[in-house]
Amino acid sequence: MNNKITKKKFLLEGKTKKIYSTENPYEIILHYKDNITTFDGLKKELLQDKGILNNEITTLIFKFLNSCGIKTHFIRKINNREQLCVKVDMIPLEFVVRNIISGSMSKRLGVKEGTHTKNNNTILEIFYKNDALNDPLINDHHAVFLGVISYEELNTINKIILNINNILKKYFLEKNIFLVDFKIEFGKNEKNQILLSDEISPDTCRFWDKKTMKKLDKDLFRIGVVSEEVVLDTYMEVLKRLNVG
């Protein structure tokens, strides 16, 4: 079996990744950069080897989700910075799952940070991916009105999200990590199947240590109270915990 993947054409560059075509029209290569951004890209830095860490973390999580029956775009890791993935048409929506109130929701609703949702009342939010509009918070009806998704697809995605959340909460708790909240995205392959796409990493999640409640994610960069080395060490700590057991 020939595992060599030929990188063909540069297709797209985002804040933290580059995308390339392959010889297979239904597959692409994701290249993880060292960029770290927040506040819609207003604050950004280069953190050496951050892309390597996020590639490995996402690989471990997506492989685990694949093994649990979640359909994702992930095929395999190619090298320390790149993954082979199914080519999808991305749905221009970010889905945020909140288990513990923090960040923008805490400020927006005046709820104390660290408040747990009650009676399995997992909170789902939708943000419209549009840089010119600063990715506004929208509801289901807005999304359908915009023509980017149907109600049937939203129902399907919501079921997938709740399943992913149940799986990952348990997965991270076994690593002594609270999954506070996370952002995920979806795309559709050539068969119009909905696949979990993009990444799951400390860039897209809020992780808190179960015992100390210490932040283990990009919030450290966002609030800017620690050095770049501490941010990288924190990402490494998450990777170490995922590699145990």
Side-chain angles (χ1 to χ4, degrees):
M1 179 178 178
N2 182 8
N3 288 322
K4 185 177 180 180
I5 303 297
T6 301
K7 187 185 295 182
K8 299 285 284 184
K9 182 181 177 183
F10 168 75
L11 299 176
L12 182 68
E13 182 170 5
K15 294 183 180 74
T16 60
K17 289 184 286 296
K18 294 179 182 178
I19 303 175
Y20 297 87
S21 66
T22 69
E23 292 179 329
N24 186 329
Y26 303 117
E27 296 177 352
I28 52 96
I29 292 172
L30 284 187
H31 175 96
Y32 283 71
K33 303 191 299 181
D34 285 340
N35 301 63
I36 184 168
T37 69
T38 189
F39 303 124
D40 293 323
L42 294 178
K43 182 179 181 181
K44 53 188 175 181
E45 296 288 346
L46 278 175
L47 297 186
Q48 185 176 355
D49 296 337
K50 193 213 72 160
I52 294 174
L53 295 173
N54 276 358
N55 181 27
E56 183 62 25
I57 290 169
T58 297
T59 291
L60 291 170
I61 295 172
F62 272 56
K63 285 175 70 174
F64 176 69
L65 288 173
N66 282 341
S67 73
C68 293
I70 301 296
K71 294 180 179 179
T72 81
H73 74 160
F74 177 82
I75 299 174
R76 65 180 174 88
K77 187 175 79 168
I78 300 172
N79 54 48
N80 65 354
R81 286 192 180 272
E82 295 179 330
Q83 299 172 1
L84 181 67
C85 297
V86 176
K87 183 179 180 181
V88 297
D89 290 324
M90 294 297 292
I91 299 169
L93 300 173
E94 294 179 346
F95 296 87
V96 175
V97 186
R98 299 187 185 275
N99 298 306
I100 301 173
I101 307 306
S102 184
S104 63
M105 183 172 175
S106 175
K107 297 174 183 177
R108 191 168 65 241
L109 299 183
V111 179
K112 183 180 178 181
E113 181 162 288
T115 302
H116 288 248
T117 58
K118 299 177 181 178
N119 301 320
N120 295 318
N121 176 216
T122 303
I123 297 171
L124 306 182
E125 295 179 334
I126 304 173
F127 292 83
Y128 178 38
K129 292 194 67 176
N130 185 308
D131 289 340
L133 299 176
N134 296 318
D135 299 345
L137 173 66
I138 63 173
N139 62 30
D140 292 14
H141 307 298
H142 294 137
V144 173
F145 169 76
L146 289 167
V148 299
I149 201 166
S150 69
Y151 284 115
E152 182 180 2
E153 289 169 337
L154 277 171
N155 288 334
T156 297
I157 285 176
N158 284 339
K159 290 177 182 177
I160 296 171
I161 288 173
L162 291 176
N163 192 15
I164 290 171
N165 189 42
N166 288 333
I167 291 169
L168 290 186
K169 279 196 300 183
K170 181 180 179 182
Y171 174 72
F172 284 110
L173 202 56
E174 291 172 350
K175 316 294 183 182
N176 290 313
I177 295 173
F178 281 130
L179 180 58
V180 176
D181 59 40
F182 61 101
K183 172 189 73 68
I184 51 177
E185 299 181 36
F186 294 86
K188 292 188 281 188
N189 66 9
E190 81 282 0
K191 297 179 181 179
N192 214 37
Q193 296 172 317
I194 294 173
L195 305 180
L196 175 66
S197 304
D198 197 45
E199 68 177 288
I200 297 179
S201 73
D203 272 11
T204 63
C205 303
R206 279 192 174 92
F207 298 133
W208 291 354
D209 181 82
K210 180 182 174 183
K211 296 179 180 178
T212 67
M213 306 303 281
K214 174 186 174 183
K215 296 178 185 295
L216 301 171
D217 55 69
K218 191 169 74 171
D219 260 359
L220 294 173
F221 173 73
R222 186 179 287 112
I223 60 181
V225 296
V226 297
S227 66
E228 295 178 0
E229 290 77 11
V230 170
V231 176
L232 285 173
D233 286 346
T234 299
Y235 281 46
M236 179 63 75
E237 172 64 21
V238 172
L239 178 56
K240 287 178 180 178
R241 293 195 194 189
L242 297 187
N243 272 318
V244 174

